[in-house]
Amino acid sequence: MSEWYTNIAGGDARVGAQIGKVDGNVTVGSPQFHEDGLRTQVAELRSAMRRAVETGTLEAEIRKAAEAELTEVDAYLKHGDEKQRGKMVLALKKVRGLLGDVADVASIAAVALTIGQGLS
């Protein structure tokens, strides 16, 4: 016997999830970010910047400027409070901007920024 499901939504209605049958887990909502995830992402970013300088795709001066901004992230991870969090997010935005010309490294910075913004 087959099962049929019909979605009758009109106008400006939005269907968040239309589920007929589920086997397993379902998660709805935004992911929860943790400081450990930010630590991991920043470590990956630093490694990627180092490799990019070694291969010549990133200028050493740009890396140096990005590292200077990442000290705000380090400070937040050591003594994180709400005031420091704002500085950390601003620093990650600057890092993302500095690295914008090197797509693979900039994407890592963007993920770090997303995690940093998601911390509360």
Side-chain angles (χ1 to χ4, degrees), residues 1-68:
M1 174 183 240
S2 64
E3 297 178 44
W4 291 89
Y5 301 94
T6 303
N7 176 13
I8 303 172
D12 291 331
R14 293 185 184 164
V15 178
Q18 180 175 337
I19 302 170
K21 184 176 180 182
V22 176
D23 293 319
N25 297 329
V26 174
T27 302
V28 178
S30 300
Q32 298 298 313
F33 297 110
H34 302 284
E35 289 179 0
D36 287 341
L38 182 58
R39 276 188 192 87
T40 300
Q41 197 65 28
V42 168
E44 184 178 342
L45 177 59
R46 284 185 162 124
S47 294
M49 287 192 306
R50 185 184 67 252
R51 287 189 307 271
V53 169
E54 290 169 358
T55 61
T57 56
L58 180 66
E59 297 172 26
E61 288 300 312
I62 299 295
R63 177 186 177 201
K64 186 176 180 180
E67 283 288 350

Side-chain angles (χ1 to χ4, degrees), residues 76-91:
Y76 170 79
L77 290 170
K78 278 187 178 178
H79 318 326
D81 61 12
E82 194 56 33
K83 181 180 178 187
Q84 191 65 36
R85 182 184 169 281
K87 290 180 180 181
M88 175 266 298
V89 169
L90 179 60

